[in-house]
């Protein structure tokens, strides 16, 4: 389709009735069913998550997972979601174990990159002021190191800007990622997170293209429908074009940087995720592809 880039479905777009940090993040749909549904709908890539990969690996093994991805032309694979990678407190030991595991997964599956979180509060829905303040120098040094670790596994690192995290502005994300200056390190720009964080999309135009690692599309009403940003993001997102976010301005700003990778789509909705798998895959693909048509 002319002008429509390769699109990939971030993990929760096709995971079914699960959500981030819920009782489980393991999809009720089999890995093979998800990959095949994605291929039928037109997706060229898929997002995968640590816990679900572990469960699938125990059933069929990494080699078979990669075979299934390749047989269905899933050219773009993105893994998530490494937390606490910059910390020096009690959370770091678990984070380092997670890092070793997810980077090994990325190598085995031929993943393009691994998503990493900004600093998130212990109560993610109600972060304190201190938890929203990034230690820029500390994070810059740590970001450089996680990128170097990822490079040894043949993958990249993308850090997501989040309004309820300590990297909640484009300016601070740029300080960290550009300061680290790693060839496999970039920023993840999700339109929902930027809109809810009151970030002007025109600021994207000033980001050097090599530091934009990943993009995610979705939509939302202009007025938040939940009491907290966290509830709004995991329950109330909409398909691209079904909300009120300025999709065209966001896409134009990203394209102005020369971004030429696949575009991701992340839907988190308490109604959408209850749909049949093939319906989810096709509806999300069609809604996203429509945003790139003249």
């Amino acid at each position: 389709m002319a002008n429509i880039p390769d699109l990939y479905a971030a993990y929760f777009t096709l995971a079914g009735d699960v959500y981030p940090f819920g009782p489980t993040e393991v999809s009720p749909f089999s890995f093979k069913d998800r990959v095949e549904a994605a291929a039928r709908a037109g997706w060229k890539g898929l997002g995968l998550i640590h816990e679900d990969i572990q469960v699938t690996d125990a059933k069929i093994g990494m080699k078979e997972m990669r075979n299934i991805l390749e047989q269905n032309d899933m050219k773009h694979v993105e893994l998530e979601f490494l937390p606490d990678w910059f910390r020096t407190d009690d959370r770091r030991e678990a984070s380092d174990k997670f890092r070793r595991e997810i980077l090994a997964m990325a190598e085995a599956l031929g993943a393009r990159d691994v998503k990493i979180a900004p600093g998130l509060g212990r109560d993610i829905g109600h972060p304190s002021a201190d938890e929203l303040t990034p230690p820029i120098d500390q994070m810059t040094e740590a970001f450089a190191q996680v990128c170097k670790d990822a490079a040894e596994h043949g993958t990249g690192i993308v850090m997501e800007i989040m309004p309820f995290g300590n990297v909640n502005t484009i300016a601070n994300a740029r300080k960290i990622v550009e300061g680290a200056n790693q060839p496999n390190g970039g920023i993840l720009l999700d339109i929902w997170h930027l809109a809810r964080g009151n970030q002007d999309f025109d600021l994207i135009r000033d980001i050097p293209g090599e530091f934009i690692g990943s993009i995610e599309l979705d939509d939302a009403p202009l007025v938040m429908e939940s009491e907290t940003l966290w509830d709004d993001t995991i329950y109330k997102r909409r398909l691209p074009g079904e909300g009120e976010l300025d999709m065209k301005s966001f896409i134009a700003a990203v394209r102005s940087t020369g971004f030429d990778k696949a575009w991701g789509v992340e839907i988190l909705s308490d109604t959408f995720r209850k749909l049949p798998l093939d319906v989810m895959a096709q509806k999300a693909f069609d809604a996203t592809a429509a945003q790139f048509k003249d």
Side-chain angles (χ1 to χ4, degrees):
M1 289 178 278
N3 298 323
I4 299 175
D6 281 1
L7 302 176
Y8 71 90
Y11 175 71
F12 288 103
T13 301
L14 300 184
D17 197 11
V18 293
Y19 56 89
F21 304 123
T24 180
E25 293 181 333
V26 177
S27 173
F29 304 122
S30 76
F31 177 78
K32 187 171 186 288
D33 285 350
R34 277 176 280 148
V35 175
E36 291 180 347
R40 285 193 295 270
W43 301 99
K44 293 298 181 183
L46 201 63
L48 304 172
I49 205 164
H50 179 268
E51 185 182 3
D52 188 81
I53 295 170
Q54 286 183 315
V55 170
T56 306
D57 179 33
K59 291 178 179 178
I60 65 173
M62 292 284 190
K63 183 177 180 180
E64 180 60 16
M65 291 175 70
R66 186 160 183 169
N67 286 340
I68 291 169
L69 290 166
E70 292 176 350
Q71 289 165 5
N72 287 277
D73 198 25
M74 293 293 112
K75 298 185 292 184
H76 314 283
V77 178
E78 187 166 77
L79 272 52
E80 58 179 284
F81 193 50
L82 173 64
D84 301 328
W85 45 274
F86 64 93
R87 297 192 185 279
T88 57
D89 61 14
D90 61 304
R91 289 173 277 189
R92 182 58 183 269
E93 183 177 355
S95 176
D96 285 348
K97 178 177 182 293
F98 191 111
R99 182 191 305 201
R100 292 190 294 271
E101 291 173 354
I102 202 165
L103 291 181
M105 292 171 176
E107 183 172 9
L109 296 173
R112 182 188 79 178
D113 54 51
V114 173
K115 292 165 63 172
I116 67 174
L120 301 174
R122 291 184 186 269
D123 179 353
I124 194 169
H126 302 87
S128 67
D130 287 345
E131 289 173 325
L132 291 175
T133 303
I136 297 293
D137 292 345
Q138 178 180 328
M139 294 185 78
T140 301
E141 181 179 354
F143 186 83
Q145 186 57 56
V146 73
C147 288
K148 291 173 183 176
D149 292 348
E152 294 180 0
H153 294 271
T155 194
I157 295 293
V158 292
M159 180 180 65
E160 189 161 15
I161 299 170
M162 294 183 164
F164 41 77
N166 71 351
V167 182
N168 46 46
T169 67
I170 291 173
N172 280 339
R174 289 188 62 184
K175 288 176 185 177
I176 294 164
V177 172
E178 293 179 33
N181 195 27
Q182 297 299 304
N184 64 329
I187 301 168
L188 193 166
L189 301 170
D190 181 314
I191 186 173
W192 186 98
H193 289 294
L194 296 185
R196 287 291 187 254
N198 299 312
Q199 296 296 288
D200 187 337
F201 294 164
D202 279 342
L203 294 174
I204 295 169
R205 297 177 179 274
D206 297 326
I207 304 174
E210 65 268 27
F211 291 116
I212 299 180
S214 192
I215 300 293
E216 289 181 348
L217 298 176
D218 44 71
D219 213 334
L222 291 180
V223 178
M224 197 167 76
E225 296 180 318
S226 304
E227 291 186 5
T228 68
L229 284 165
W230 178 246
D231 284 349
D232 203 56
T233 200
I234 65 172
Y235 297 127
K236 299 300 180 184
R237 296 196 199 189
R238 298 183 184 176
L239 292 172
E242 294 186 356
E244 299 173 300
L245 304 186
D246 192 349
M247 201 73 54
K248 291 192 180 299
S249 292
F250 178 80
I251 291 172
V254 171
R255 281 183 154 171
S256 75
T257 69
F259 181 80
D260 60 357
K261 301 176 183 178
W263 293 63
V265 179
E266 184 175 58
I267 305 303
L268 291 159
S269 159
D270 54 5
T271 55
F272 181 81
R273 58 177 167 250
K274 293 180 172 67
L275 295 173
L277 176 57
D278 275 305
V279 175
M280 286 194 298
Q282 198 65 63
K283 281 176 66 72
F285 181 84
D286 291 346
T288 307
Q291 306 311 307
F292 294 93
K293 296 176 181 176
D294 296 332

